[in-house]
Amino acid sequence: MSEQPPYLRIADELRQRIAEHVWEPGDRLPSRAQIGQECGVGENVVRRAQELLISQGVLEGRAGSGTYVAEPRERVRVVRSSAREQPSGSPFRQDMKALRRQSDWESRTDAKVPASAEIATRLGIAEGELCVRTTYEFLADGKPVQLSTSWEPYAVTGGTLVVLPEGGPHAGAGVVNRMAEIGVTISHAVEQPEPRHATAEEASLLGIQKAALVTHIRRTYYSDEGRPVETADIVVPAAHCEIVYEIPINR
């Protein structure tokens, strides 16, 4: 059996000290040199351990000041389920209502944006074909908890009342409900979640540490004819949100 890497051992040691209230939320940790000397490792090992705990929301780094124990923050429960799309509105709004949190989102739509090679593949269209791109920042009690960038083929919604996801009479109704208004029935969605580190832009928007862990979900909605009609990149900070999948059982 391979031995645990030294930085993971140090991360466990730091986490244990916090759990035992040696350090309380808001406390500044000793220097890396001091921790390294106490634990018998080099400063680089301590740095890697602290970076791991920062990405998990246990610690926070403050430029020019040091590393501190992060204040506890209740994680937001984000439910992923085909049963969440309701005629009354957004699945995100339903999640936040269940948690008794105030929900809102900010969005920006750019029409007729050429599809990149990756987006074209996901939508089953030619590279460079026009899409409607909408970026979202979802908020719970005024704090950002989720980012999303959505792409819809302009050939599907162009010239209709639902061409702008956040504009017109069906604004904010969700993909399933909007597509139904133009005779497109969504039969299923495919989601591919994977962990990764946040980009600098994502970290800034979400109010998390640079390179903190996030869950990146690639979601694509398909019509009952098997055609992709929307694809999105959803980014959720691991330290602030837990993702739960509800699986409907058909009897």
Side-chain angles (χ1 to χ4, degrees):
M1 182 180 293
S2 60
E3 211 176 292
Q4 186 183 43
Y7 82 95
L8 292 180
R9 177 174 63 82
I10 300 306
D12 287 343
E13 171 68 21
L14 299 181
R15 195 182 286 108
Q16 184 66 25
R17 292 187 189 186
I18 294 169
E20 293 175 351
H21 304 286
V22 175
W23 299 318
E24 299 286 353
D27 285 352
R28 183 179 184 274
L29 268 61
S31 69
R32 290 173 183 166
Q34 184 177 339
I35 294 174
Q37 186 175 18
E38 290 178 8
C39 298
V41 297
E43 289 186 43
N44 283 339
V45 173
V46 179
R47 176 182 56 78
R48 288 193 65 189
Q50 289 181 343
E51 287 176 348
L52 174 63
L53 295 179
I54 287 172
S55 73
Q56 295 173 345
V58 177
L59 300 176
E60 64 177 45
R62 301 178 188 174
S65 179
T67 304
Y68 293 76
V69 180
E71 295 288 343
R73 178 173 172 178
E74 183 182 358
R75 297 176 82 201
V76 172
R77 185 181 177 92
V78 178
V79 179
R80 316 294 303 167
S81 170
S82 60
R84 305 298 284 183
E85 290 277 0
Q86 301 292 334
S88 58
S90 158
F92 177 76
R93 185 162 283 159
Q94 293 175 56
D95 286 340
M96 295 304 103
K97 184 177 180 180
L99 293 170
R100 297 182 180 178
R101 288 173 176 255
Q102 173 114 24
S103 65
D104 198 4
W105 59 83
E106 298 175 359
S107 66
R108 173 183 171 180
T109 296
D110 297 297
K112 299 185 178 181
V113 177
S116 65
E118 181 192 355
I119 295 301
T121 298
R122 286 159 59 174
L123 289 174
I125 60 178
E127 182 177 357
E129 275 196 45
L130 299 180
C131 292
V132 176
R133 179 183 65 196
T134 305
T135 57
Y136 294 90
E137 182 177 348
F138 292 92
L139 310 171
D141 294 337
K143 296 181 179 179
V145 294
Q146 180 177 310
L147 304 175
S148 178
T149 302
S150 166
W151 300 77
E152 297 177 357
Y154 187 76
V156 174
T157 61
T160 72
L161 291 176
V162 301
V163 65
L164 300 178
E166 297 300 320
H170 306 291
V175 177
V176 173
N177 300 317
R178 287 177 43 252
M179 291 296 171
E181 293 294 330
I182 58 173
V184 176
T185 301
I186 303 294
S187 64
H188 68 286
V190 174
E191 294 195 345
Q192 297 173 276
E194 65 177 9
R196 64 168 172 80
H197 295 289
T199 65
E201 181 181 8
E202 289 166 347
S204 177
L205 289 171
L206 289 168
I208 57 179
Q209 294 292 324
K210 184 178 179 182
L213 288 177
V214 297
T215 301
H216 178 188
I217 303 172
R218 292 179 177 86
R219 181 200 66 205
T220 303
Y221 279 113
Y222 292 84
S223 72
D224 56 0
E225 298 176 345
R227 178 181 182 180
V229 295
E230 190 263 6
T231 193
D233 290 291
I234 301 166
V235 178
V236 179
H240 298 163
C241 299
E242 61 175 355
I243 299 175
V244 178
Y245 279 84
E246 286 185 358
I247 313 297
I249 305 298
N250 297 320
R251 296 183 181 274

